[in-house]
PDB file of all heavy atoms in Angstrom:
ATOM      1  N   LEU A  58      33.927  57.748 -61.811  1.00 93.00           N
ATOM      2  CA  LEU A  58      34.272  57.403 -63.194  1.00 93.00           C
ATOM      3  C   LEU A  58      34.427  55.905 -63.413  1.00 93.00           C
ATOM      4  O   LEU A  58      34.036  55.379 -64.437  1.00 93.00           O
ATOM      5  CB  LEU A  58      35.565  58.120 -63.594  1.00 93.00           C
ATOM      6  CG  LEU A  58      35.375  59.549 -64.089  1.00 93.00           C
ATOM      7  CD1 LEU A  58      36.718  60.149 -64.456  1.00 93.00           C
ATOM      8  CD2 LEU A  58      34.441  59.600 -65.273  1.00 93.00           C
ATOM      9  N   GLY A  59      34.982  55.210 -62.411  1.00 95.00           N
ATOM     10  CA  GLY A  59      35.189  53.772 -62.552  1.00 95.00           C
ATOM     11  C   GLY A  59      33.869  53.056 -62.784  1.00 95.00           C
ATOM     12  O   GLY A  59      33.734  52.219 -63.675  1.00 95.00           O
ATOM     13  N   GLU A  60      32.895  53.442 -61.967  1.00 95.00           N
ATOM     14  CA  GLU A  60      31.568  52.836 -62.046  1.00 95.00           C
ATOM     15  C   GLU A  60      30.885  53.190 -63.367  1.00 95.00           C
ATOM     16  O   GLU A  60      30.310  52.332 -64.038  1.00 95.00           O
ATOM     17  CB  GLU A  60      30.746  53.402 -60.893  1.00 95.00           C
ATOM     18  CG  GLU A  60      29.665  52.503 -60.377  1.00 95.00           C
ATOM     19  CD  GLU A  60      29.020  53.179 -59.171  1.00 95.00           C
ATOM     20  OE1 GLU A  60      29.715  53.356 -58.139  1.00 95.00           O
ATOM     21  OE2 GLU A  60      27.854  53.557 -59.289  1.00 95.00           O
ATOM     22  N   VAL A  61      30.950  54.469 -63.720  1.00 96.00           N
ATOM     23  CA  VAL A  61      30.310  54.915 -64.951  1.00 96.00           C
ATOM     24  C   VAL A  61      30.968  54.248 -66.161  1.00 96.00           C
ATOM     25  O   VAL A  61      30.295  53.833 -67.100  1.00 96.00           O
ATOM     26  CB  VAL A  61      30.364  56.458 -65.087  1.00 96.00           C
ATOM     27  CG1 VAL A  61      29.856  56.911 -66.453  1.00 96.00           C
ATOM     28  CG2 VAL A  61      29.535  57.102 -63.991  1.00 96.00           C
ATOM     29  N   PHE A  62      32.288  54.103 -66.084  1.00 96.00           N
ATOM     30  CA  PHE A  62      32.990  53.421 -67.165  1.00 96.00           C
ATOM     31  C   PHE A  62      32.489  51.983 -67.328  1.00 96.00           C
ATOM     32  O   PHE A  62      32.197  51.533 -68.437  1.00 96.00           O
ATOM     33  CB  PHE A  62      34.504  53.437 -66.911  1.00 96.00           C
ATOM     34  CG  PHE A  62      35.236  52.437 -67.740  1.00 96.00           C
ATOM     35  CD1 PHE A  62      35.346  52.622 -69.107  1.00 96.00           C
ATOM     36  CD2 PHE A  62      35.757  51.294 -67.170  1.00 96.00           C
ATOM     37  CE1 PHE A  62      35.988  51.681 -69.889  1.00 96.00           C
ATOM     38  CE2 PHE A  62      36.399  50.352 -67.947  1.00 96.00           C
ATOM     39  CZ  PHE A  62      36.511  50.544 -69.304  1.00 96.00           C
ATOM     40  N   ALA A  63      32.364  51.252 -66.208  1.00 95.00           N
ATOM     41  CA  ALA A  63      31.898  49.860 -66.264  1.00 95.00           C
ATOM     42  C   ALA A  63      30.479  49.800 -66.834  1.00 95.00           C
ATOM     43  O   ALA A  63      30.168  48.939 -67.662  1.00 95.00           O
ATOM     44  CB  ALA A  63      31.940  49.238 -64.869  1.00 95.00           C
ATOM     45  N   ASP A  64      29.631  50.722 -66.402  1.00 95.00           N
ATOM     46  CA  ASP A  64      28.251  50.753 -66.903  1.00 95.00           C
ATOM     47  C   ASP A  64      28.215  51.059 -68.396  1.00 95.00           C
ATOM     48  O   ASP A  64      27.411  50.495 -69.136  1.00 95.00           O
ATOM     49  CB  ASP A  64      27.441  51.823 -66.159  1.00 95.00           C
ATOM     50  CG  ASP A  64      27.097  51.396 -64.744  1.00 95.00           C
ATOM     51  OD1 ASP A  64      27.328  50.215 -64.407  1.00 95.00           O
ATOM     52  OD2 ASP A  64      26.612  52.236 -63.971  1.00 95.00           O
ATOM     53  N   THR A  65      29.088  51.980 -68.805  1.00 97.00           N
ATOM     54  CA  THR A  65      29.116  52.361 -70.218  1.00 97.00           C
ATOM     55  C   THR A  65      29.566  51.193 -71.087  1.00 97.00           C
ATOM     56  O   THR A  65      28.993  50.930 -72.142  1.00 97.00           O
ATOM     57  CB  THR A  65      30.063  53.571 -70.433  1.00 97.00           C
ATOM     58  OG1 THR A  65      29.688  54.620 -69.547  1.00 97.00           O
ATOM     59  CG2 THR A  65      30.001  54.075 -71.864  1.00 97.00           C
ATOM     60  N   LEU A  66      30.567  50.492 -70.598  1.00 97.00           N
ATOM     61  CA  LEU A  66      31.064  49.333 -71.342  1.00 97.00           C
ATOM     62  C   LEU A  66      29.976  48.264 -71.445  1.00 97.00           C
ATOM     63  O   LEU A  66      29.757  47.678 -72.505  1.00 97.00           O
ATOM     64  CB  LEU A  66      32.311  48.777 -70.641  1.00 97.00           C
ATOM     65  CG  LEU A  66      33.063  47.650 -71.336  1.00 97.00           C
ATOM     66  CD1 LEU A  66      33.444  48.027 -72.757  1.00 97.00           C
ATOM     67  CD2 LEU A  66      34.305  47.275 -70.536  1.00 97.00           C
ATOM     68  N   ALA A  67      29.271  48.025 -70.341  1.00 95.00           N
ATOM     69  CA  ALA A  67      28.194  47.031 -70.352  1.00 95.00           C
ATOM     70  C   ALA A  67      27.073  47.473 -71.295  1.00 95.00           C
ATOM     71  O   ALA A  67      26.516  46.665 -72.036  1.00 95.00           O
ATOM     72  CB  ALA A  67      27.649  46.828 -68.946  1.00 95.00           C
ATOM     73  N   PHE A  68      26.779  48.768 -71.278  1.00 96.00           N
ATOM     74  CA  PHE A  68      25.730  49.288 -72.154  1.00 96.00           C
ATOM     75  C   PHE A  68      26.128  49.097 -73.616  1.00 96.00           C
ATOM     76  O   PHE A  68      25.310  48.711 -74.451  1.00 96.00           O
ATOM     77  CB  PHE A  68      25.506  50.772 -71.840  1.00 96.00           C
ATOM     78  CG  PHE A  68      24.407  51.415 -72.651  1.00 96.00           C
ATOM     79  CD1 PHE A  68      23.090  51.007 -72.502  1.00 96.00           C
ATOM     80  CD2 PHE A  68      24.685  52.428 -73.553  1.00 96.00           C
ATOM     81  CE1 PHE A  68      22.079  51.597 -73.241  1.00 96.00           C
ATOM     82  CE2 PHE A  68      23.678  53.026 -74.294  1.00 96.00           C
ATOM     83  CZ  PHE A  68      22.376  52.605 -74.140  1.00 96.00           C
ATOM     84  N   ALA A  69      27.406  49.333 -73.915  1.00 96.00           N
ATOM     85  CA  ALA A  69      27.911  49.148 -75.279  1.00 96.00           C
ATOM     86  C   ALA A  69      27.784  47.695 -75.715  1.00 96.00           C
ATOM     87  O   ALA A  69      27.689  47.396 -76.901  1.00 96.00           O
ATOM     88  CB  ALA A  69      29.366  49.605 -75.372  1.00 96.00           C
ATOM     89  N   CYS A  70      27.791  46.772 -74.730  1.00 96.00           N
ATOM     90  CA  CYS A  70      27.676  45.338 -75.023  1.00 96.00           C
ATOM     91  C   CYS A  70      26.250  44.844 -74.823  1.00 96.00           C
ATOM     92  O   CYS A  70      26.033  43.659 -74.576  1.00 96.00           O
ATOM     93  CB  CYS A  70      28.618  44.543 -74.133  1.00 96.00           C
ATOM     94  SG  CYS A  70      30.348  44.888 -74.413  1.00 96.00           S
ATOM     95  N   ASP A  71      25.277  45.742 -74.861  1.00 93.00           N
ATOM     96  CA  ASP A  71      23.869  45.367 -74.667  1.00 93.00           C
ATOM     97  C   ASP A  71      23.654  44.614 -73.363  1.00 93.00           C
ATOM     98  O   ASP A  71      22.976  43.569 -73.339  1.00 93.00           O
ATOM     99  CB  ASP A  71      23.361  44.526 -75.840  1.00 93.00           C
ATOM    100  CG  ASP A  71      23.390  45.308 -77.138  1.00 93.00           C
ATOM    101  OD1 ASP A  71      22.994  46.492 -77.116  1.00 93.00           O
ATOM    102  OD2 ASP A  71      23.833  44.756 -78.157  1.00 93.00           O
ATOM    103  N   ASP A  72      24.248  45.107 -72.281  1.00 92.00           N
ATOM    104  CA  ASP A  72      24.058  44.522 -70.947  1.00 92.00           C
ATOM    105  C   ASP A  72      24.685  43.140 -70.791  1.00 92.00           C
ATOM    106  O   ASP A  72      24.371  42.425 -69.856  1.00 92.00           O
ATOM    107  CB  ASP A  72      22.575  44.419 -70.579  1.00 92.00           C
ATOM    108  CG  ASP A  72      22.084  45.703 -69.925  1.00 92.00           C
ATOM    109  OD1 ASP A  72      22.930  46.483 -69.459  1.00 92.00           O
ATOM    110  OD2 ASP A  72      20.867  45.905 -69.882  1.00 92.00           O
ATOM    111  N   ASP A  73      25.540  42.792 -71.708  1.00 94.00           N
ATOM    112  CA  ASP A  73      26.207  41.497 -71.614  1.00 94.00           C
ATOM    113  C   ASP A  73      27.525  41.680 -70.847  1.00 94.00           C
ATOM    114  O   ASP A  73      28.571  41.968 -71.424  1.00 94.00           O
ATOM    115  CB  ASP A  73      26.468  40.963 -73.025  1.00 94.00           C
ATOM    116  CG  ASP A  73      27.037  39.545 -73.012  1.00 94.00           C
ATOM    117  OD1 ASP A  73      27.540  39.121 -71.953  1.00 94.00           O
ATOM    118  OD2 ASP A  73      26.972  38.882 -74.062  1.00 94.00           O
ATOM    119  N   TRP A  74      27.456  41.513 -69.527  1.00 92.00           N
ATOM    120  CA  TRP A  74      28.616  41.797 -68.670  1.00 92.00           C
ATOM    121  C   TRP A  74      29.762  40.813 -68.925  1.00 92.00           C
ATOM    122  O   TRP A  74      30.929  41.155 -68.777  1.00 92.00           O
ATOM    123  CB  TRP A  74      28.229  41.766 -67.192  1.00 92.00           C
ATOM    124  CG  TRP A  74      27.400  42.948 -66.789  1.00 92.00           C
ATOM    125  CD1 TRP A  74      26.059  43.097 -66.940  1.00 92.00           C
ATOM    126  CD2 TRP A  74      27.883  44.180 -66.203  1.00 92.00           C
ATOM    127  NE1 TRP A  74      25.678  44.337 -66.483  1.00 92.00           N
ATOM    128  CE2 TRP A  74      26.766  45.010 -66.020  1.00 92.00           C
ATOM    129  CE3 TRP A  74      29.155  44.636 -65.820  1.00 92.00           C
ATOM    130  CZ2 TRP A  74      26.871  46.282 -65.463  1.00 92.00           C
ATOM    131  CZ3 TRP A  74      29.258  45.899 -65.265  1.00 92.00           C
ATOM    132  CH2 TRP A  74      28.117  46.723 -65.094  1.00 92.00           C
ATOM    133  N   ASP A  75      29.412  39.575 -69.291  1.00 95.00           N
ATOM    134  CA  ASP A  75      30.468  38.591 -69.548  1.00 95.00           C
ATOM    135  C   ASP A  75      31.300  39.007 -70.756  1.00 95.00           C
ATOM    136  O   ASP A  75      32.521  38.933 -70.745  1.00 95.00           O
ATOM    137  CB  ASP A  75      29.864  37.199 -69.791  1.00 95.00           C
ATOM    138  CG  ASP A  75      29.280  36.633 -68.514  1.00 95.00           C
ATOM    139  OD1 ASP A  75      29.795  36.988 -67.427  1.00 95.00           O
ATOM    140  OD2 ASP A  75      28.314  35.864 -68.590  1.00 95.00           O
ATOM    141  N   ARG A  76      30.597  39.483 -71.777  1.00 96.00           N
ATOM    142  CA  ARG A  76      31.307  39.938 -72.965  1.00 96.00           C
ATOM    143  C   ARG A  76      32.112  41.193 -72.627  1.00 96.00           C
ATOM    144  O   ARG A  76      33.267  41.341 -73.020  1.00 96.00           O
ATOM    145  CB  ARG A  76      30.291  40.231 -74.073  1.00 96.00           C
ATOM    146  CG  ARG A  76      30.966  40.538 -75.378  1.00 96.00           C
ATOM    147  CD  ARG A  76      29.949  40.851 -76.475  1.00 96.00           C
ATOM    148  NE  ARG A  76      30.548  41.755 -77.442  1.00 96.00           N
ATOM    149  CZ  ARG A  76      29.898  42.741 -78.048  1.00 96.00           C
ATOM    150  NH1 ARG A  76      28.628  42.949 -77.796  1.00 96.00           N
ATOM    151  NH2 ARG A  76      30.521  43.513 -78.900  1.00 96.00           N
ATOM    152  N   ALA A  77      31.501  42.099 -71.861  1.00 96.00           N
ATOM    153  CA  ALA A  77      32.157  43.361 -71.505  1.00 96.00           C
ATOM    154  C   ALA A  77      33.490  43.107 -70.807  1.00 96.00           C
ATOM    155  O   ALA A  77      34.480  43.791 -71.037  1.00 96.00           O
ATOM    156  CB  ALA A  77      31.239  44.200 -70.628  1.00 96.00           C
ATOM    157  N   LYS A  78      33.522  42.082 -69.938  1.00 95.00           N
ATOM    158  CA  LYS A  78      34.725  41.791 -69.158  1.00 95.00           C
ATOM    159  C   LYS A  78      35.883  41.323 -70.033  1.00 95.00           C
ATOM    160  O   LYS A  78      37.042  41.442 -69.662  1.00 95.00           O
ATOM    161  CB  LYS A  78      34.416  40.697 -68.119  1.00 95.00           C
ATOM    162  CG  LYS A  78      34.029  41.272 -66.762  1.00 95.00           C
ATOM    163  CD  LYS A  78      33.782  40.168 -65.766  1.00 95.00           C
ATOM    164  CE  LYS A  78      32.308  40.129 -65.406  1.00 95.00           C
ATOM    165  NZ  LYS A  78      31.902  38.898 -64.746  1.00 95.00           N
ATOM    166  N   GLU A  79      35.548  40.772 -71.182  1.00 97.00           N
ATOM    167  CA  GLU A  79      36.611  40.216 -72.027  1.00 97.00           C
ATOM    168  C   GLU A  79      37.205  41.237 -72.989  1.00 97.00           C
ATOM    169  O   GLU A  79      38.219  40.972 -73.626  1.00 97.00           O
ATOM    170  CB  GLU A  79      36.056  39.030 -72.825  1.00 97.00           C
ATOM    171  CG  GLU A  79      35.683  37.920 -71.886  1.00 97.00           C
ATOM    172  CD  GLU A  79      35.319  36.642 -72.599  1.00 97.00           C
ATOM    173  OE1 GLU A  79      35.142  36.673 -73.828  1.00 97.00           O
ATOM    174  OE2 GLU A  79      35.223  35.622 -71.915  1.00 97.00           O
ATOM    175  N   LEU A  80      36.580  42.384 -73.079  1.00 97.00           N
ATOM    176  CA  LEU A  80      37.060  43.379 -74.030  1.00 97.00           C
ATOM    177  C   LEU A  80      38.281  44.120 -73.484  1.00 97.00           C
ATOM    178  O   LEU A  80      38.386  44.362 -72.288  1.00 97.00           O
ATOM    179  CB  LEU A  80      35.944  44.376 -74.350  1.00 97.00           C
ATOM    180  CG  LEU A  80      34.698  43.792 -75.001  1.00 97.00           C
ATOM    181  CD1 LEU A  80      33.718  44.910 -75.315  1.00 97.00           C
ATOM    182  CD2 LEU A  80      35.036  43.017 -76.258  1.00 97.00           C
TER     183      LEU A  80
END
Side-chain angles (χ1 to χ4, degrees):
L58 276 180
E60 208 176 295
V61 173
F62 163 70
D64 286 351
T65 307
L66 186 54
F68 182 65
C70 296
D71 297 317
D72 272 342
D73 186 342
W74 288 83
D75 290 331
R76 187 181 151 217
K78 266 182 248 164
E79 295 188 348
L80 298 183

